[in-house]
Amino acid sequence: MKIDLHVHTTVSDGTDSPAELVTAAAAAGLDVIGLCDHDATDGWEAALTAGEAAGVRVLRGIEISCQVRGNSVHLLAYGCRPDDQALADELARNRAGRAERVPTMLARLAEHHMPIPEDVLARHVGDSPSVGRPHFADAMVELGYVADRGEAFAKWLADDKPIYVARYSTPLEHGLDLVRAAGGAAVIAHPWGRISREALPPRYLGALVASRQLDGIEVDHQDHDAATREELRALADFVGAVITGSSDYHGIGKLDHPLGCNTTTPEALVKLERRVQARGGVL
Ligand code: AMP
Ligand code: FE
Ligand code: FE
Ligand code: ZN
């Protein structure tokens, strides 16, 4: 049983449509995928329908943009009720923050002699309701300003680079409360990847798990090296957090982490499912 609990589609910054994602998952030999688009749930229905036909189980997930003292952290939510209004409203607030920064980012790109015509950006955003920096990166690649998404982030788009514009994101503990109230299970995404290690020290993560606000920790992720994974695994075992792993697949935009490159054990999935069931969420 092969389980990949965190993947993206064109509903956010992935490049496969929900149906294409399911086809790719079946081809990769996956039995279960957690569809976790950034701040959006619009892919759930199409992926679930495609999953039924292809024999791939699709879990309803979300990767919620959160913040802890000004640091960006990502929260994975599984099994939230689709009709939960408070959660839907907060996701809409995050998406609005994404859209509001677009004009400033375009102006800064122009100042740096990398103008992006609005129709070029619009083509890369497509019908995603959740515009993200990878859409800008793809437009920059098309216009020949950078070679790939990685270079776009390293030189221009990362949180400490010139084109970065801060946006609204959910205070983490509020996000945890919303997920639980919607019947879901909460897993902190790649907690010690990129810049979030300072924001999420072991004691804080441990306290969130101990208080049952947080259910799990995503340990096996490409942003964690082997030593980091061992540290996180030890912490998760010590505090009783469910350990997950995922590819964080984004399609052709990021080829270095294919579907199924990291996986979650069936036992871990059962633990998450029990919590969702106990809270009245949907599986
Ligand atoms: P945003 O959603 O606008 O905050 O952009 C963050 C997203 O950009 C992440 O979810 C990743 O998918 C992607 N990302 C972040 N850093 C990089 C990088 N160095 N290379 C490629 N994609 C990245
Ligand atoms: Fe992403
Ligand atoms: Fe993430
Ligand atoms: Zn992700």
Side-chain angles (χ1 to χ4, degrees):
M1 172 108 116
K2 231 173 140 188
I3 305 166
D4 186 341
L5 276 192
H6 171 181
V7 298
H8 294 269
T9 74
T10 48
V11 166
S12 61
D13 54 8
T15 56
D16 290 359
S17 71
E20 287 166 346
L21 168 77
V22 168
T23 303
L30 290 171
D31 302 288
V32 184
I33 55 172
L35 173 49
C36 295
D37 274 309
H38 297 283
D39 300 315
T41 63
D42 305 51
W44 286 355
E45 249 187 69
L48 278 154
T49 304
E52 270 168 37
V56 176
R57 183 167 165 216
V58 178
L59 294 177
R60 295 174 186 82
I62 318 161
E63 186 168 21
I64 307 174
S65 302
C66 291
Q67 53 174 310
V68 177
R69 291 183 303 274
N71 292 295
S72 160
V73 299
H74 289 174
L75 178 64
L76 300 168
Y78 298 102
C80 294
R81 284 184 300 274
D83 60 355
D84 187 275
Q85 197 55 45
L87 179 59
D89 289 347
E90 184 61 20
L91 295 178
R93 196 170 172 193
N94 278 341
R95 292 194 302 270
R98 290 172 169 279
E100 280 160 18
R101 72 181 165 168
V102 167
T104 314
M105 290 178 70
L106 289 173
R108 286 208 195 157
L109 281 158
E111 277 166 32
H112 286 85
H113 312 291
M114 294 181 287
I116 297 181
E118 279 189 34
D119 62 307
V120 174
L121 181 65
R123 191 150 30 74
H124 289 284
V125 175
D127 54 11
S128 168
S130 187
V131 55
R133 284 174 282 173
H135 298 124
F136 282 84
D138 291 346
M140 293 167 78
V141 173
E142 178 185 326
L143 295 165
Y145 301 147
V146 291
D148 53 30
R149 279 190 182 184
E151 187 187 341
F153 272 86
K155 284 191 179 158
W156 302 107
L157 300 172
D159 292 21
D160 55 348
K161 297 298 170 190
I163 311 301
Y164 175 72
V165 177
R167 62 177 165 93
Y168 173 80
S169 56
T170 308
L172 177 62
E173 293 184 39
H174 181 50
L176 291 166
D177 290 343
L178 286 170
V179 171
R180 282 192 61 121
V187 174
I188 196 83
H190 45 73
W192 292 352
R194 297 210 181 97
I195 55 158
S196 51
R197 188 170 187 135
E198 297 71 34
L200 298 166
R203 267 216 291 209
Y204 181 56
L205 278 179
L208 291 177
V209 175
S211 66
R212 287 259 166 175
Q213 284 174 285
L214 180 66
D215 298 292
I217 299 178
E218 188 180 52
V219 171
D220 290 305
H221 184 278
Q222 82 265 358
D223 289 354
H224 296 149
D225 62 20
T228 302
R229 293 182 194 204
E230 282 324 301
E231 282 177 274
L232 270 174
R233 209 181 304 282
L235 172 66
D237 280 337
F238 184 66
V239 299
V242 179
I243 292 171
T244 72
S246 78
S247 63
D248 202 352
Y249 173 76
H250 281 70
I252 56 162
K254 290 197 219 162
L255 287 168
D256 53 331
H257 46 106
L259 280 167
C261 65
N262 294 298
T263 55
T264 298
T265 64
E267 296 74 25
L269 178 56
V270 167
K271 286 183 198 166
L272 292 176
E273 286 172 332
R274 289 212 180 108
R275 296 188 190 205
V276 170
Q277 270 154 3
R279 293 171 193 158
V282 289
L283 287 165

